[in-house]
Amino acid sequence: MSFKVHIIHDLFYGFNEPTSSEDLTLPDVDLVIMNGNLGWSSKRSWHYAFQIATLYPNIQFVFNDGTYERYLRHTDKIKDEQEISISTRKQNTDWPNNLHWKDYRDDQGLLIELQTGQTVAVWPCFGFPNIISYDNWEDTWFHKTVCQGQTKTHYGETAGLPNTDLRLFSDGIAWATPEWVKEKFLEQENKLRKWETEQIAYKHYGIVVTHLNPYKDPRLDNIKYSPYKMHLKGQPGDGDRLWVTSHHEKSVNFLGAKLCSNPGRGSIARGKVLEVD
């Protein structure tokens, strides 16, 4: 039995900008995957997610954090501050039952029952790559954009700013390092491979969602990297798995999966549907 999927990402709504009617009008689908950068801030992105999930109670929605929801202009004061916040928010009674979000710390993927009666397994994550080499780390998108937290300076003390003679009298920003990116990659890869063999093999149709594109993502220029070690080709008689990503408009086959995205606003983007076997 087939089901229909719609992808939404890179809308970039301003904080006080109203949502256009075109982006609140969905085609006839069973599953919608929202893959990051819906707004210029996390709060605006979640507002859109609540808006559209409430309008279509019979459609299931998956929310995956993008750069603007999780890293750009976000500085966790404690480890996993945002994940803790959203996990707490999900416990409120006004959280839509058809809106799904995965905490990256969880070992299990999302199991979602569609209105067709089918159950699909979805693994959303940011999609950190396995960095092999790079030219100059300070020129990379990670160093310029992704904040991994804060450097702590206790009251009354100072800390040296690396590679300068300056002193910090308050907490500073800790930008992403190659070691940190590698750690994030391995953390997800180990869980993904277990999910692939235990949760989707011969059981459920599997969908991987990564905000970063493992195939020619311009944000990964100047970096040599490799993707997750997994194979998503379906079993004989089944269609290939789906890999939802961003920054790529033409679908390609990647690690046995159909790698696809659907960037942008408006009626043309909102009219595109993927029919999955």
Side-chain angles (χ1 to χ4, degrees):
M1 182 185 297
S2 63
F3 60 94
K4 296 177 181 178
V5 180
H6 181 62
I7 303 169
I8 303 175
H9 59 89
D10 294 320
L11 304 181
F12 294 110
Y13 274 104
F15 190 81
N16 293 314
E17 181 184 3
T19 308
S20 70
S21 59
E22 289 89 349
D23 286 323
L24 291 175
T25 304
L26 293 180
D28 179 21
V29 294
D30 307 298
L31 177 67
V32 172
I33 297 175
M34 297 179 282
N35 196 19
N37 296 349
L38 306 180
W40 287 102
S41 68
S42 179
K43 185 174 289 188
R44 181 63 180 88
S45 294
W46 278 108
H47 173 70
Y48 174 77
F50 269 63
Q51 265 189 306
I52 200 162
T54 302
L55 283 173
Y56 297 90
N58 294 327
I59 298 176
Q60 301 301 311
F61 293 83
V62 173
F63 184 101
N64 190 36
D65 291 318
T67 305
Y68 284 83
E69 286 84 15
R70 187 60 188 90
Y71 292 110
L72 191 62
R73 300 192 300 271
H74 286 265
T75 307
D76 286 2
K77 296 181 286 296
I78 60 173
K79 181 175 171 53
D80 301 325
E81 179 181 27
Q82 181 154 313
E83 285 72 29
I84 295 169
S85 175
I86 297 176
S87 296
T88 302
R89 177 73 177 83
K90 281 185 65 180
Q91 298 176 30
N92 289 0
T93 56
D94 64 340
W95 184 280
N97 293 328
N98 60 331
L99 179 57
H100 308 273
W101 169 83
K102 181 186 177 303
D103 189 329
Y104 83 92
R105 298 171 296 178
D106 294 342
D107 293 330
Q108 299 294 316
L110 302 172
L111 285 178
I112 302 173
E113 184 176 353
L114 306 179
Q115 59 185 345
T116 61
Q118 298 161 278
T119 297
V120 295
V122 184
W123 189 281
C125 62
F126 193 70
F128 287 97
N130 180 29
I131 295 177
I132 299 171
S133 63
Y134 48 88
D135 297 329
N136 182 351
W137 184 253
E138 292 186 358
D139 290 337
T140 64
W141 176 83
F142 285 110
H143 181 75
K144 295 178 179 180
T145 309
V146 177
C147 172
Q148 67 180 74
Q150 291 184 339
T151 57
K152 295 296 182 181
T153 302
H154 297 290
Y155 180 75
E157 299 178 1
T158 64
L161 192 63
N163 303 319
T164 73
D165 58 357
L166 301 177
R167 307 292 296 178
L168 290 174
F169 289 85
S170 63
D171 293 344
I173 295 176
W175 296 107
T177 64
E179 296 76 19
W180 181 78
V181 174
K182 177 82 170 182
E183 179 184 328
K184 302 292 280 186
F185 166 81
L186 291 174
E187 182 179 65
Q188 285 299 307
E189 183 184 56
N190 292 335
K191 294 178 179 180
L192 260 170
R193 295 179 71 178
K194 185 176 181 182
W195 170 80
E196 178 191 9
T197 56
E198 295 183 4
Q199 194 168 12
I200 69 172
Y202 302 101
K203 295 180 181 178
H204 305 293
Y205 185 91
I207 301 175
V208 173
V209 184
T210 62
H211 178 68
L212 291 182
N213 193 327
Y215 179 75
K216 295 183 178 180
D217 193 315
R219 293 169 290 188
L220 304 181
D221 288 347
N222 304 321
I223 297 175
K224 184 179 179 181
Y225 62 94
S226 61
Y228 298 120
K229 292 181 180 178
M230 59 181 181
H231 190 65
L232 293 170
K233 189 170 181 61
Q235 303 298 329
D238 295 336
D240 290 345
R241 314 297 186 184
L242 192 63
W243 188 326
V244 175
T245 187
S246 63
H247 278 261
H248 193 79
E249 294 197 34
K250 187 176 181 180
S251 298
V252 297
N253 186 281
F254 190 80
L255 296 182
K258 184 177 182 181
L259 185 70
C260 54
S261 63
N262 183 31
R265 306 185 186 187
S267 57
I268 295 177
R270 294 292 71 77
K272 295 180 179 179
V273 175
L274 285 169
E275 187 158 359
V276 181
D277 293 327

